Each structure stands twice: as C-alpha cells, then as structure tokens.
Amino acid sequence: RSRGEARKVKQQVLEAEQTIQRVQAKISEIDQAMLDRPSHSEELARNRAALSKKLELAEEEWLKASQRLEQAA
C-alpha cells in the first residue's frame, strides 16, 4: 500500500478520535445538565440518545480505520 493511503487512513483515525472526544464531552455536559435541570430531562435524554448513537458510529469508524492502518503498516 502506498504512503499516501496510509496517511489518509491515519487522518481518518485522528478524525474519528476527535469526534469521539467531542461527543463524549457533549454527553458529559448533558449528564450534568440532567442533574442540574431535572425538568428538562426528557429533552436532554433524547439529545443524549442521539449523541450516544453518534458516539457508537464514531467508535466503529475508529476501529475500522485503525485496522486499516495496521494493515497498511
């Protein structure tokens, strides 16, 4: 495999890691907001569920990209 492809896959791994970090931070914010504002918990729970799905997809992408990176090495 070419260096260019390995570079591209490495970038995908980094982007997935960044997405995971951002989504985890947002989930933490929502968790805190649910404690601070229980009256908004239904709406916050919906947002958290959507973010949890996004986190799952980002983790899957990270795993796939990491495996491709290992194969490229």
Side-chain angles (χ1 to χ4, degrees):
R1 295 187 181 211
S2 71
R3 285 183 182 217
E5 185 177 344
R7 213 173 305 126
K8 179 182 173 185
V9 173
K10 187 173 184 177
Q11 183 62 36
Q12 290 172 340
V13 170
L14 293 173
E15 288 173 5
E17 288 173 349
Q18 291 170 347
T19 299
I20 290 167
Q21 290 173 353
R22 279 194 309 272
V23 173
Q24 286 175 331
K26 288 179 183 178
I27 288 172
S28 292
E29 289 174 15
I30 288 175
D31 288 345
Q32 186 60 49
M34 289 174 80
L35 292 173
D36 295 342
R37 298 180 295 167
S39 62
H40 294 88
S41 62
E42 187 175 324
E43 176 185 349
L44 292 168
R46 282 194 302 273
N47 291 339
R48 190 185 194 291
L51 286 170
S52 292
K53 182 64 177 172
K54 186 173 183 177
L55 178 60
E56 182 181 328
L57 294 173
E59 288 172 339
E60 288 174 9
E61 181 57 36
W62 176 86
L63 183 59
K64 289 176 189 175
S66 294
Q67 290 170 343
R68 287 193 307 269
L69 186 60
E70 282 183 24
Q71 292 171 353

